[in-house]
Amino acid sequence: MIIYLAGTGQCQNHIMEQILDTGLKTNILGSFYSVRPGITKNIPRFDRFILDSGAFSFIQNNKRADWNEYVRRYIEYIKQTNTKLFFELDIDALIGYDRVKEFRRRIEREVGVQPIPVWHKRLGRAEFLRMCDEYSYVAIGGIVSREIKKDEYKYFPWFIIEAHKRGAKIHGLGFTNLEGLTKYHFDSVDSTAWTAGTRFGIAYRFNGRNLEHRYVYELWKGKRFKDEGIRVHNFIEWSKFCAYAEVHL
């Protein structure tokens, strides 16, 4: 399983350089909305790179959006960076699925590479199967937003099996439930959990098979911890886990 580390938009350029200089596994999910020059510059150095449109973040921070212009700039960035794995604009709940499909076709036509379509519960199982028949990589959305409840995770094997039967890979957007990763064999997932150090003062440690965590100091529990050292530390430990997951999960 490939685990992409998301949330790297918050990394200053010199932090990313420190991380890359370790020589550890770097699977990065970048967001077009918040991507930093340091990420763009280092894409050729990453082991793997996958791009999210960032459209949902964009609309959360802007009252009005010119989606045609946004798609134009997204396409331009994909071409500029020669990115081969990228998600469609995952905003059907905001602009309607028909329009999302129009943008999906436009991106594919202008880039010459299929985007990764994102399935949501409201689209139904038949649409998921159609996606798998038409696209070589599909994604399950709604995990982070809890559109998909934890007691519904038991249905993931059906989606994974059906995708694989049709020759498609499948990505779990925002799915890094550590227990779930050993049960549900997505081809890839992404996570921002490594950023918990700065948000909650949590330090991770890879023990050779899994990640353990503890609070850096009990005093900082529930408070932001701004030392960039813990950010680098957690990224490194998660990178070790990524390397393990690629072989064993």
Side-chain angles (χ1 to χ4, degrees):
M1 180 186 298
I2 307 301
I3 299 176
Y4 291 91
L5 300 187
T8 50
Q10 66 180 269
C11 286
Q12 300 293 336
N13 294 357
H14 69 284
I15 295 178
M16 184 52 65
E17 294 292 340
Q18 286 182 57
I19 291 165
L20 287 166
D21 286 345
T22 66
L24 291 169
K25 178 72 65 177
T26 49
N27 301 327
I28 304 296
L29 182 147
S31 170
F32 175 61
Y33 175 72
S34 60
V35 72
R36 287 179 177 269
I39 296 293
T40 301
K41 181 184 76 170
N42 284 304
I43 288 174
R45 295 182 65 190
F46 300 147
D47 288 273
R48 290 183 175 84
F49 181 73
I50 193 167
L51 182 66
D52 181 74
S53 74
F56 195 82
S57 298
F58 177 79
I59 205 165
Q60 284 182 315
N61 292 281
N62 295 270
K63 293 182 179 179
R64 301 178 64 181
D66 181 342
W67 290 116
N68 283 312
E69 174 60 15
Y70 194 91
V71 171
R72 185 195 67 75
R73 292 192 294 111
Y74 188 44
I75 290 169
E76 186 178 89
Y77 185 80
I78 291 167
K79 289 180 174 180
Q80 171 199 335
T81 56
N82 197 30
T83 297
K84 300 303 183 185
L85 288 177
F86 49 88
F87 297 98
E88 67 179 356
L89 272 67
D90 179 21
I91 51 172
D92 63 278
L94 301 172
I95 66 173
Y97 190 50
D98 285 343
R99 197 170 182 204
V100 164
K101 287 192 289 185
E102 287 177 14
F103 287 143
R104 184 193 297 169
R105 289 190 291 268
R106 176 182 168 188
I107 293 169
E108 182 174 353
R109 183 173 63 252
E110 295 189 28
V111 175
V113 177
Q114 287 186 330
I116 301 172
V118 181
W119 180 86
H120 287 272
K121 278 171 59 177
R122 57 185 166 269
L123 300 178
R125 290 191 179 192
E127 182 60 22
F128 175 78
L129 297 179
R130 274 192 290 272
M131 283 182 178
C132 295
D133 286 334
E134 296 176 10
Y135 290 84
S136 60
Y137 220 134
V138 299
I140 297 287
I143 298 171
V144 175
S145 65
R146 298 182 184 175
E147 169 193 329
I148 296 176
K149 307 293 189 294
K150 196 167 183 179
D151 64 1
E152 295 175 309
Y153 289 0
K154 62 189 176 186
Y155 300 117
F156 285 154
W158 180 87
F159 288 93
I160 294 166
I161 289 168
E162 289 300 323
H164 289 169
K165 277 168 58 175
R166 289 163 169 77
K169 293 182 179 180
I170 184 167
H171 182 96
L173 272 168
F175 184 73
T176 44
N177 177 294
L178 291 175
E179 180 183 353
L181 290 180
T182 63
K183 294 172 63 177
Y184 310 118
H185 301 293
F186 289 101
D187 294 286
S188 58
V189 296
D190 63 273
S191 177
T192 59
W194 69 276
T195 66
T198 48
R199 288 183 290 158
F200 308 115
I202 289 176
Y204 285 95
R205 184 178 74 86
F206 178 61
N207 64 15
R209 295 189 63 185
N210 212 329
L211 285 161
E212 301 171 349
H213 70 272
R214 62 181 178 82
Y215 290 104
V216 180
Y217 293 107
E218 195 64 23
L219 179 65
W220 292 334
K221 184 174 180 179
K223 298 181 180 179
R224 295 186 68 85
F225 182 65
K226 297 182 179 179
D227 184 354
E228 67 183 43
I230 196 65
R231 183 173 294 173
V232 173
H233 167 84
N234 282 345
F235 192 102
I236 288 172
E237 294 302 302
W238 268 84
S239 292
K240 294 174 184 177
F241 180 56
C242 290
Y244 172 85
E246 192 167 325
V247 176
H248 300 285
L249 295 184

